[in-house]
Amino acid sequence: MTQPQRQLIRMTEELERTTRVNYLFDFYHSLLTEKQRAYVELYYLEDYSFSEIADTLKVTRQAVYDNLKRTKDLLEDYEANLGLYGAFIKRQQYYRQIREYIKNQDFNKIDAVINELETLEEE
C-alpha cells in the first residue's frame, strides 16, 4: 500500500469517527454537563484545535484532551446502553430499502420492510 493510500484510509477513518461522535452528541447531548457539551461543541462542531479550546476555556491542552476523551467514552457508554444511534442507522437502511423497492415496484418487499420498521419502533 502506498503512502497516499494509507493517508486516505486514515483520513476516512478519522472522518467516520468524527461523524459518529457528532451523531452520538446529537442523541445524548442532554445527558452531558454544560462543560462536557462545550468541549464537544468546540472540538467536533466548531473544529477548534486543542490549543484554541484551551485558550477559550482557560485550561491546559492536556485538560482539553482528557475531557474530550472522557466525554467521548461517556457518549459511547450511553450508546451501548440506550442504542439510539444504532436504531437510527437501522431505520436509515430500511428507508433506503423501501426507496429501492419502490423504484423496482417490488411492493411485497416494501411491506416486509415496513413490518421490520414497526418491530424496531416497538423495541
Side-chain angles (χ1 to χ4, degrees):
M1 183 179 306
T2 66
Q3 180 65 21
Q5 288 172 324
R6 283 192 292 273
Q7 273 185 310
L8 181 59
I9 289 170
R10 278 194 300 275
M11 288 172 48
T12 301
E13 289 171 348
E14 181 63 30
L15 180 60
E16 289 172 358
R17 281 191 296 271
T18 298
T19 300
R20 179 177 174 82
V21 171
N22 282 327
Y23 272 113
L24 293 177
F25 182 72
D26 283 347
F27 285 107
Y28 303 115
H29 70 274
S30 62
L31 301 176
L32 300 176
T33 66
E34 187 175 319
K35 180 179 171 182
Q36 290 167 326
R37 284 193 302 270
Y39 279 91
V40 172
E41 286 173 357
L42 290 172
Y43 186 73
Y44 288 101
L45 302 176
E46 300 295 330
D47 202 30
Y48 278 36
S49 69
F50 284 4
S51 295
E52 290 170 321
I53 296 169
D55 289 344
T56 300
L57 300 179
K58 308 294 186 237
V59 296
T60 65
R61 289 179 74 242
Q62 185 64 44
V64 172
Y65 173 83
D66 292 344
N67 196 294
L68 281 169
K69 174 142 180 35
R70 279 192 308 272
T71 303
K72 185 174 153 274
D73 290 346
L74 185 59
L75 290 169
E76 291 291 352
D77 286 344
Y78 289 145
E79 175 59 16
N81 289 305
L82 300 172
L84 297 178
Y85 177 60
F88 169 77
I89 294 298
K90 283 183 185 177
R91 281 192 304 276
Q92 296 304 308
Q93 291 168 344
Y94 289 142
Y95 296 143
R96 280 191 292 279
Q97 285 179 335
I98 289 171
R99 286 185 192 99
E100 185 64 30
Y101 295 151
I102 288 171
K103 189 186 327 179
N104 296 331
Q105 296 185 2
D106 195 346
F107 300 110
N108 291 331
K109 288 185 178 178
I110 293 172
D111 191 47
V113 173
I114 289 172
N115 288 335
E116 289 179 37
L117 262 170
E118 290 171 343
T119 301
L120 179 65
E121 295 304 321
E122 292 170 3
E123 293 178 355

